[in-house]
Amino acid sequence: MAFEGLSERLQNTIAKMRGKGKITEADVKEMMREVRLALLEADVNFKVVKSFVKTVGERAIGQDIMSSLTPGQQVVKIVNEELTALMGGAESKLTMNNQPPTVLMMVGLQGAGKTTTTGKLASLLRKKYNKKPLLVAADVYRPAAIQQLQTLGKQLDMPVFTLGDQVSPVEIAKQAIAHAKAEHLDYVLIDTAGRLHVDETLMNELIDVKTVAQPDDILLVVDSMTGQDAVNVAKNFDETLDLTGVILTKLDGDTRGGAALSIRSVTGKPIKFVGMGEKLDALEPFHPDRMASRILG
Ligand code: GDP
C-alpha cells in the first residue's frame, strides 16, 4: 500500500504519545520534530513541511492538549485535520460545461501516464455518469501515441478522433470539438503531446491548443513516484497554462506520498483524480480526508 513509510513513522511517533497521562510543551515540540522528519522522509516539499508543523504545533499547544486525558489522540486528530486541509480539504470535481461538449485538455510529460489516464477518465465518465466521450489524438510527434490511443479506444469501445500526424494539434483540437458537437458527444478529451522535459516549444504549442480549444479543465497528469520532481513539473505547467487540476498517477506504487501532500499547497491547484494501477478502471476521485486517514493508518 502507498505511504507505508510515512504512515509507519507517524504512527510510531503517535504511539509514543498514546497512553501518556500528561504531556508537556516539550513533549509536543518533540513530537512535532518527529512529524517533521516523517514528512521530510516522505519527500514532502520542505516549505510545506515547515508551515505544516508550525500550524499543528500551534494548534496543539493552543488547544491545551497538555491537560487533556488523551493527548496523543488529540494530536492525531489535529494532524489528520491539517493533512486534509493541506491536500485541499474537499473533493474537487471536474468542471462541466452546460453546453456540451465539455472539453478536457490532458497535459504532462512523457511516461507520466497521460494517454492511459485519458482512457481511464473517459471510461469513468461513461460508467459513472453515462456520458459519451470522444478521445482526441493530438500527440502528432510520436506515431506510437496515436496508435496507443486508438488501441485504448478499441479496448473501451469508444470513438477516437485522429487526423494522423501531418496536421497541427491546434487544427486537430478545433476539428475534434466540431465533430463532437455534430455527433452530440458530451466530453472531448484531448491527449496532447508529452516531452521528456518541460521545454518552451512544448509549452508554446500547448498554449496554442488551449487558446483554440477553450478547455473547461486543463488537467496535468504527473507520476507520483517522482516525488518533488512531480511538484516542480506541476509548478512549471501551472505557471504557463494555469491548470485547473492535477491527476496523480501510479499512487499504487508510491510508498512515500510526498507529491500527494505537496502539490496542492505549492501550486494552489487541486488533485482531482489518482491513478491506482495499470488497469483501465484504476482511476479514483481524490478525497483529501480519506487520504489523510490512510496516511495516519
Ligand atoms: P504517457 O507517455 O504519459 O502517455 O504514458 P502512458 O499512458 O503510456 O503510461 C506509461 C506507463 O505507466 C504505462 O505502462 C501505464 O500502464 C503506466 N501507468 C499509468 N498510470 C498508472 C497507474 O496509476 N499505476 C501504475 N502502476 N501504472 C500506471
Side-chain angles (χ1 to χ4, degrees):
M1 195 182 116
F3 306 146
E4 260 160 24
L6 178 56
S7 148
E8 227 176 83
R9 191 77 206 231
L10 286 175
Q11 280 177 52
N12 287 342
T13 308
I14 283 156
K16 280 191 218 152
M17 313 287 295
R18 283 204 176 109
K20 251 195 166 191
K22 263 196 182 313
I23 56 171
T24 63
E25 194 164 321
D27 287 329
V28 173
K29 287 222 169 90
E30 162 76 20
M31 185 162 185
M32 288 311 117
R33 205 169 65 221
E34 296 282 341
V35 169
R36 197 179 122 251
L37 285 174
L39 292 171
L40 286 173
E41 265 179 29
D43 202 23
V44 177
N45 176 285
F46 78 96
K47 280 187 195 156
V48 174
V49 174
K50 205 171 158 195
S51 83
F52 180 82
V53 169
K54 188 163 172 267
T55 310
V56 174
E58 278 170 7
R59 275 190 65 188
I61 291 166
Q63 286 184 8
D64 208 13
I65 59 152
M66 274 88 78
S67 58
S68 153
L69 287 176
T70 52
Q73 260 129 297
Q74 294 278 70
V75 175
V76 176
K77 188 165 169 278
I78 295 172
V79 172
N80 192 329
E81 283 169 10
E82 291 300 330
L83 282 175
T84 305
L86 187 63
M87 292 182 285
E91 180 190 350
S92 174
K93 301 204 167 181
L94 285 180
T95 311
M96 205 176 76
N97 200 324
N98 293 328
Q99 287 180 307
T102 296
V103 178
L104 310 180
M105 182 172 161
M106 312 294 290
V107 301
L109 297 183
Q110 236 174 63
K114 181 171 45 58
T115 304
T116 312
T117 303
T118 303
K120 284 178 175 177
L121 187 55
S123 167
L124 186 141
L125 287 166
R126 182 176 62 186
K127 209 173 187 170
K128 206 167 159 191
Y129 302 103
N130 212 12
K131 298 292 181 190
K132 285 182 279 179
L134 176 67
L135 301 170
V136 181
D139 182 353
V140 296
Y141 303 101
R142 279 193 315 139
I146 299 178
Q147 270 167 30
Q148 192 186 345
L149 200 67
Q150 281 173 324
T151 308
L152 266 175
K154 273 207 190 94
Q155 270 173 276
L156 292 167
D157 191 21
M158 203 173 272
V160 176
F161 187 91
T162 165
L163 295 174
D165 59 4
Q166 298 302 312
V167 178
S168 79
V170 167
E171 190 57 32
I172 295 171
K174 203 194 281 177
Q175 290 198 30
I177 293 168
H179 175 78
K181 268 187 196 145
E183 299 285 321
H184 303 291
L185 300 174
D186 305 301
Y187 279 86
V188 172
L189 289 87
I190 307 173
D191 185 27
T192 62
R195 302 281 155 79
L196 288 173
H197 302 283
V198 178
D199 65 51
E200 221 181 300
T201 323
L202 165 70
M203 286 304 187
N204 285 336
E205 188 182 280
L206 293 176
I207 292 170
D208 292 345
V209 173
K210 176 184 173 181
T211 308
V212 166
Q214 298 280 310
D216 298 286
D217 262 314
I218 306 182
L219 301 169
L220 172 73
V221 179
V222 276
D223 178 347
S224 70
M225 298 217 283
T226 60
Q228 296 212 43
D229 272 348
V231 180
N232 291 331
V233 168
K235 204 164 168 254
N236 262 310
F237 272 82
D238 186 48
E239 277 163 9
T240 321
L241 286 170
D242 193 13
L243 303 171
T244 62
V246 174
I247 301 184
L248 208 53
T249 62
K250 309 184 196 180
L251 206 64
D252 50 308
D254 176 24
T255 54
R256 296 185 301 172
L261 285 167
S262 315
I263 279 185
R264 172 62 185 245
S265 87
V266 171
T267 63
K269 299 301 160 69
I271 297 171
K272 296 205 177 193
F273 293 92
V274 288
M276 296 301 293
E278 295 198 71
K279 294 216 175 102
L280 288 176
D281 59 359
L283 185 76
E284 300 172 5
F286 180 67
H287 296 280
D289 53 341
R290 287 187 209 164
M291 185 67 83
S293 299
R294 216 171 90 185
I295 288 170
L296 283 171

